[in-house]
Amino acid sequence: MSQRSPRIRSSHATNPCPCGRDAVYRDCCGRLHAGLASAATSEDLMRSRYSAFAVGDEAYLLRTWHPDTRPRRLDLDSRAEWVRLEVLGTTGGTPFHNEGTVDFRAVHRERGQEFELREHSRFVRHEGAWVYLDALTE
């Protein structure tokens, strides 16, 4: 978990969580972003990372990226509005695994047009926590 002070963006706290689960941001992915909880599964981490894109939390994205594949910095596009996440399937990634994959489709809107990102992501445990490793190619 993060050592930074727990803080949830007040502008998002009571909004529905972007990850698509039936909870408000503060009680769902906001807890992970603020360092109050850790992802129990690779799917939980993937959903929280999607939400981090939606709320613009670059620090969380970098913290949850494996150090071997993590970029030095991110430049999130503030014009992109992340509007929908669909988890298509998972393998492994439970609290009893050390590796897992999540196949998902994420939709974002930019200048009135919708764009789809489809990815089959790999996650591993690093120092006891789930982290994003990379995307599998077909």
Side-chain angles (χ1 to χ4, degrees), residues 23-84:
V24 296
Y25 171 75
R26 170 192 58 227
D27 299 332
C28 193
C29 293
R31 293 179 46 74
L32 280 71
H33 295 172
L36 299 173
S38 297
T41 67
S42 58
E43 181 181 342
D44 290 344
L45 181 66
M46 190 282 307
R47 286 180 178 277
S48 71
R49 286 176 56 83
Y50 170 85
S51 291
F53 276 100
V55 301
D57 193 340
E58 293 178 18
Y60 181 78
L61 291 166
L62 290 170
R63 265 195 331 274
T64 58
W65 208 313
H66 194 282
D68 291 347
T69 57
R70 177 177 49 222
R72 288 182 181 263
R73 58 184 280 245
L74 289 176
D75 292 315
L76 298 182
D77 187 348
S78 61
R79 296 171 298 178
E81 175 192 2
W82 293 91
V83 295
R84 190 168 52 257

Side-chain angles (χ1 to χ4, degrees), residues 5-128:
S5 63
R7 184 176 118 284
I8 296 172
R9 288 181 172 90
S10 60
S11 62
H12 302 294
T14 58
N15 289 346
C17 194
C19 80
R21 290 195 166 135
D22 189 22
V24 296
Y25 171 75
R26 170 192 58 227
D27 299 332
C28 193
C29 293
R31 293 179 46 74
L32 280 71
H33 295 172
L36 299 173
S38 297
T41 67
S42 58
E43 181 181 342
D44 290 344
L45 181 66
M46 190 282 307
R47 286 180 178 277
S48 71
R49 286 176 56 83
Y50 170 85
S51 291
F53 276 100
V55 301
D57 193 340
E58 293 178 18
Y60 181 78
L61 291 166
L62 290 170
R63 265 195 331 274
T64 58
W65 208 313
H66 194 282
D68 291 347
T69 57
R70 177 177 49 222
R72 288 182 181 263
R73 58 184 280 245
L74 289 176
D75 292 315
L76 298 182
D77 187 348
S78 61
R79 296 171 298 178
E81 175 192 2
W82 293 91
V83 295
R84 190 168 52 257
L85 173 67
E86 181 181 358
V87 174
L88 304 171
T90 64
T91 61
T94 72
F96 305 104
H97 291 102
N98 289 317
E99 298 179 356
T101 66
V102 180
D103 188 22
F104 69 92
R105 180 182 6 243
V107 177
H108 72 278
R109 188 177 302 129
E110 211 172 305
R111 298 180 190 188
Q113 280 192 294
E114 285 194 355
F115 300 91
E116 180 180 293
L117 167 68
R118 173 83 189 266
E119 185 171 301
H120 194 83
S121 299
R122 279 195 313 167
F123 297 87
V124 296
R125 287 195 188 270
H126 178 72
E127 298 178 354

